Amino acid sequence: MSRPALSLLTQRSLRSNFGGVLRAPAVLVRQIGSVPTPVSEITHPDNDVPQQTLDQVKQFNKYTVTTYNRPDIVISRGKGSYLYDTSDRAYLDFTAGIAVTALGHSDEEVAKVLYEQAQKLVHTSNLYHNEHAGALAEKLVTATQKSGGSWADKLFLANSGTEANEGALKFARKWGKDVAGPEKMEIVCFTNAFHGRSMGALSATFNPKYQKPFAPLVPGFVTAPFNDTQKAVEAITERTCGVIIEPIQGEGGVHAAKDEFIEAIREKCTKVNALLIFDEIQCGLGRSGKLWGHQHFSSKCIPDILTMAKPLANGVPIGAILTNEKVGKLIQAGDHGTTFGGNPLASAVALNVVGRISKDEFIKAVNEKGAALKEDLEALQAAYPGVIKAVRGKGLLLGVEFTKDPSPIVKMARERGLLVVTAGCNTVRVIPALTISKEEAREGVARFAGAVEQFSKSS
C-alpha cells in the first residue's frame, strides 16, 4: 500500500474557498481499489440548522406545491463538486443536479458566457434566427459525426428532456402516418424506463406509481421487458411507428442494454420501417465515458432520433432532438414549435459546454475517473457483501444496488456531507460532476462507506 495522504476535504476543513468553516473530519485516502477509511462521524446533522432556516423552509412550503420530499436545509451556493447550505456547511455532490452540472457548480466559463450574453440578448422567439442556436446545432451534429455518428443530420432545440422526448414521439407518430397511414401509430417502450412526466413521455415511462394517478394515458404505447430480446422483437410490428429506449437506463437503476438486445431492436425497426429513438438525456454527452451512450454498442446500433438535455448547458434549461436525414426532411414548418427553445442565452451556454465536453481528452478523463471510482465502489461491495448486491455502470454513470431499499442511506450520507440520489431496483446512483477529481471521488466513497456501515447495522 502506498503511503496515505491527507484527503482533499481535510485540507479544506480549515477554510473554504469562501472563508467558511467546513467542519470536515480527518479522512485518509488510500490506494485506488481499497475502501477509504469510512467517515463514521455525523458532521452535517439535518437537525443542526438555525431556526431561521426552518422558518424559511416553512414559508417556502406554504406557497409551493408539494411534489418533492426535501430535507430542512437550504442550498445557497456551490463551487465545483461542492454545494453549501445557508449554514455554510459543505456537501460533496455525487448527484450533480441529477446528472446535470457536468462541469461542476459555478463554472467560471459558463458564468462568463451567461453574464455577457444576458447583457446582449436573452430572448427573441423562433420568429427570427439568433447567432447561437444555429451554431449549436452545427456543433452537435459535427461533434456527433466526428465521434463516428455519421447518421446525425438535423437538430431541434427544446427546453428540457421531457420536452425533447415529447417532440421525438410526435416525430415518430408523423413518420408512421407518412409511410403507412393512421394504423402505424404504436410506440414501443420498456420496463424500468424513465422518459419524463408529461402525458406522452409518461405514457412511455412504465411505472404504475407514476402512471396510475393520471390515467388514462396516451393510447398506442406497448411495453416490453428491458433486455428481453425475443419479447422486444415480438412487440415491434408493422403497426409500430417508433421505439424509444435508454441505451443505459438511469432512473431505472443504471442498467445498460445488452448488445444483442439493441442490435435486434435496430434490425427489427429497419424491417418494419419504424424509427428508433435513443433517449440519452442522462447517459449522453460524455456521462458514460463516450460522447453518446449508444456508442458502447455495435456500430450497427444507430438511432434515427436521439434526445438530450441534462448536461447540455450545465444547468441552464435546454433540451434537443437530434435526427438523421430522413426524419429531418419529414418535419416541416408548423409541425412542432417552442417559445423558449433555442433562446440565445441557453444556446450560447450550451455551445460553450458542448465544445468542452466533446473533446477527446475530456472524455478520456471521464473514463479514467469513472474506472477508479467504480473500483473503489466494488471494494466497498466486497467489504459489505451482505448489504451491497452489485456495482454497475459506465463512465461516471454508476449504480450501487443494495439488498434492501437504500432510501435511508440518502440521509445517512447527507449527514456525513455527501449528496447521493436513489434510483429503481434498490439502487443508489453515483453521478458526480464530470470534472470531479480522483481525490474528491475517493473522499465521497469514504463518506458513502460511513453511511453504508451505519445502514448495515440498521434493522
Side-chain angles (χ1 to χ4, degrees):
M1 182 182 298
S2 61
R3 184 179 179 183
L6 199 59
S7 71
L8 182 64
L9 259 186
T10 302
Q11 297 171 35
R12 289 185 176 178
S13 64
L14 299 177
R15 185 177 178 182
S16 76
N17 292 336
F18 301 92
V21 176
L22 303 189
R23 308 181 192 175
V27 180
L28 295 181
V29 176
R30 302 183 187 175
Q31 63 188 16
I32 300 298
S34 63
V35 182
T37 305
V39 176
S40 299
E41 180 186 359
I42 292 178
T43 56
H44 297 56
D46 283 351
N47 60 6
D48 183 22
V49 294
Q51 186 61 44
Q52 181 180 358
T53 298
L54 296 175
D55 292 342
Q56 189 178 33
V57 169
K58 184 178 179 180
Q59 186 72 4
F60 290 164
N61 290 339
K62 181 179 178 181
Y63 297 100
T64 305
V65 176
T66 310
T67 53
Y68 305 103
N69 291 316
R70 294 182 278 212
D72 290 336
I73 59 174
V74 177
I75 301 298
S76 62
R77 55 192 171 82
K79 187 65 179 176
S81 294
Y82 296 89
L83 288 171
Y84 299 81
D85 65 17
T86 48
S87 297
D88 207 32
R89 298 184 298 185
Y91 297 82
L92 183 52
D93 186 7
F94 265 19
T95 74
I98 314 184
V100 169
T101 53
L103 299 176
H105 300 290
S106 304
D107 177 78
E108 290 182 6
E109 286 191 40
V110 167
K112 184 174 184 291
V113 173
L114 278 168
Y115 175 74
E116 292 179 350
Q117 187 60 42
Q119 294 185 97
K120 186 178 180 182
L121 185 66
V122 171
H123 178 76
T124 63
S125 86
N126 283 299
L127 295 174
Y128 314 102
H129 293 287
N130 72 69
E131 61 183 325
H132 299 302
L136 175 59
E138 179 182 5
K139 183 64 178 178
L140 281 164
V141 169
T142 56
T144 301
Q145 291 173 344
K146 182 182 176 183
S147 70
S150 59
W151 60 272
D153 188 68
K154 291 287 192 294
L155 191 82
F156 177 87
L157 287 168
N159 299 303
S160 68
T162 294
E163 188 181 284
N165 281 339
E166 285 285 343
L169 296 172
K170 283 181 64 178
F171 291 5
R173 281 281 172 89
K174 184 178 182 185
W175 173 262
K177 291 178 172 58
D178 191 69
V179 300
E183 295 301 311
K184 193 175 182 67
M185 50 74 70
E186 289 184 349
I187 303 287
V188 174
C189 51
F190 297 91
T191 55
N192 292 326
F194 185 86
H195 300 293
R197 296 178 188 266
S198 56
M199 291 303 286
L202 182 62
S203 300
T205 299
F206 185 73
N207 186 323
K209 180 179 71 173
Y210 295 152
Q211 291 185 336
K212 188 176 179 180
F214 307 103
L217 301 174
V218 177
F221 284 78
V222 177
T223 304
F226 186 74
N227 269 336
D228 188 323
T229 301
Q230 181 178 343
K231 290 186 177 179
V233 169
E234 291 173 354
I236 303 167
T237 69
E238 294 293 339
R239 290 175 56 87
T240 305
C241 65
V243 176
I244 185 166
I245 185 171
E246 299 160 274
I248 306 171
Q249 291 185 333
E251 186 78 21
V254 191
H255 294 279
K258 297 176 181 176
D259 287 358
E260 61 270 21
F261 177 66
I262 290 285
E263 285 187 33
I265 290 172
R266 173 69 273 178
E267 184 178 341
K268 189 66 181 289
C269 283
T270 301
K271 183 178 180 180
V272 302
N273 205 9
L275 300 182
L276 177 56
I277 305 166
F278 283 159
D279 175 346
E280 296 229 16
I281 289 161
Q282 187 157 161
C283 68
L285 289 167
R287 171 60 59 179
S288 74
K290 290 186 180 290
L291 183 61
W292 301 115
H294 73 271
Q295 292 173 334
H296 286 282
F297 307 104
S298 165
S299 59
K300 300 175 184 177
C301 302
I302 59 173
D304 299 295
I305 299 174
L306 182 150
T307 57
M308 68 189 82
K310 287 183 178 292
L312 184 52
N314 210 57
V316 177
I318 191 172
I321 308 168
L322 184 59
T323 78
N324 62 14
E325 184 179 13
K326 68 182 182 182
V327 177
K329 288 182 177 179
L330 171 75
I331 305 303
Q332 300 296 313
D335 282 341
H336 197 49
T338 170
T339 296
F340 297 103
N343 69 77
L345 188 70
S347 296
V349 176
L351 192 58
N352 176 274
V353 172
V354 174
R356 294 161 65 188
I357 66 177
S358 62
K359 291 179 178 177
D360 291 341
E361 57 267 30
F362 188 94
I363 300 293
K364 180 182 178 182
V366 171
N367 275 304
E368 291 173 352
K369 289 181 284 190
L373 180 53
K374 190 174 184 180
E375 283 183 24
D376 283 345
L377 292 171
E378 287 171 342
L380 185 62
Q381 178 192 3
Y384 295 92
V387 177
I388 299 178
K389 182 178 180 180
V391 175
R392 55 179 172 263
K394 299 179 186 294
L396 286 169
L397 175 55
L398 301 173
V400 181
E401 183 178 352
F402 287 80
T403 55
K404 60 180 180 179
D405 179 13
S407 296
I409 285 183
V410 174
K411 174 181 171 65
M412 294 171 182
R414 184 174 63 245
E415 293 195 317
R416 289 167 172 82
L418 176 71
L419 303 180
V420 294
V421 60
T422 58
C425 300
N426 287 344
T427 299
V428 171
R429 268 175 291 178
V430 177
I431 43 177
L434 303 186
T435 52
I436 193 170
S437 70
K438 289 182 180 179
E439 293 79 14
E440 289 169 335
R442 296 229 78 208
E443 190 73 51
V445 175
R447 295 173 182 281
F448 190 56
V452 172
E453 182 179 60
Q454 180 184 353
F455 183 66
S456 69
K457 297 174 181 177
S458 63
S459 57

